[in-house]
Amino acid sequence: MEDLSAADEGRAVHQLDRAESLRLLASVPVGRVVFTRNALPAIRPVNHLVEPNGKIIVRTRFAASLTTALRGNSGLVVAYEADEIDPARRIGWSVVVTGIARPVTDAERVAKFERLLRPWVDNITDTVIEIDPTIVRGIRLVEKSK
């Protein structure tokens, strides 16, 4: 891990490799998907899971902004971010994945992900989307050794 300077003298920033970044992403249940809507950035919190091959799976409503943006495309460039930061100690990690999002259309895979990803609200989540991670970047904020 490469050591970078941090704003707080008592902290250091370490770059994480792809495997560690995806492992950390898989360890939390929620993140934020970033996509373009009407030429402007849009961000939506969603729950997710990470498959062994690194693909990030999310569920959404067909009428949702993300699904609407996907309708006219075979794939849509998105970013996906999740983190776990302790605001009091100012340590933790953050991972950002950039890749192509596509609807999952295979009925068996859709059924599997509908069982595994339960919506947090009463809205219908009738669309499963997978993000193929092209660029994976992660950092860890740590206390410097004294």
Side-chain angles (χ1 to χ4, degrees), residues 3-113:
D3 216 7
L4 303 176
S5 63
D8 184 331
E9 291 181 19
R11 308 291 174 272
V13 178
H14 297 282
Q15 294 291 332
L16 302 174
D17 64 23
R18 181 183 180 96
E20 178 69 359
S21 295
L22 289 173
R23 186 192 71 72
L24 289 168
L25 185 64
S27 74
V28 295
V30 74
R32 290 155 294 283
V33 64
V34 182
F35 58 99
T36 302
R37 180 176 182 208
N38 300 328
L40 296 172
I43 302 171
R44 298 290 178 269
V46 294
N47 58 336
H48 70 270
L49 62 85
V50 179
E51 291 192 291
N53 64 7
K55 290 187 179 181
I56 296 116
I57 308 296
V58 301
R59 284 181 66 191
T60 187
R61 289 181 304 118
F62 185 69
S65 301
L66 175 59
T67 309
T68 302
L70 275 170
R71 278 189 214 162
N73 298 310
S74 58
L76 179 69
V77 175
V78 300
Y80 194 79
E81 190 270 343
D83 52 51
E84 194 169 81
I85 305 288
D86 179 335
R89 295 178 58 206
R90 299 163 82 181
I91 61 171
W93 59 267
S94 179
V95 171
V96 177
V97 172
T98 305
I100 304 295
R102 292 183 179 84
V104 174
T105 56
D106 177 73
E108 286 183 29
R109 290 183 72 217
V110 169
K112 170 187 166 186
F113 297 133

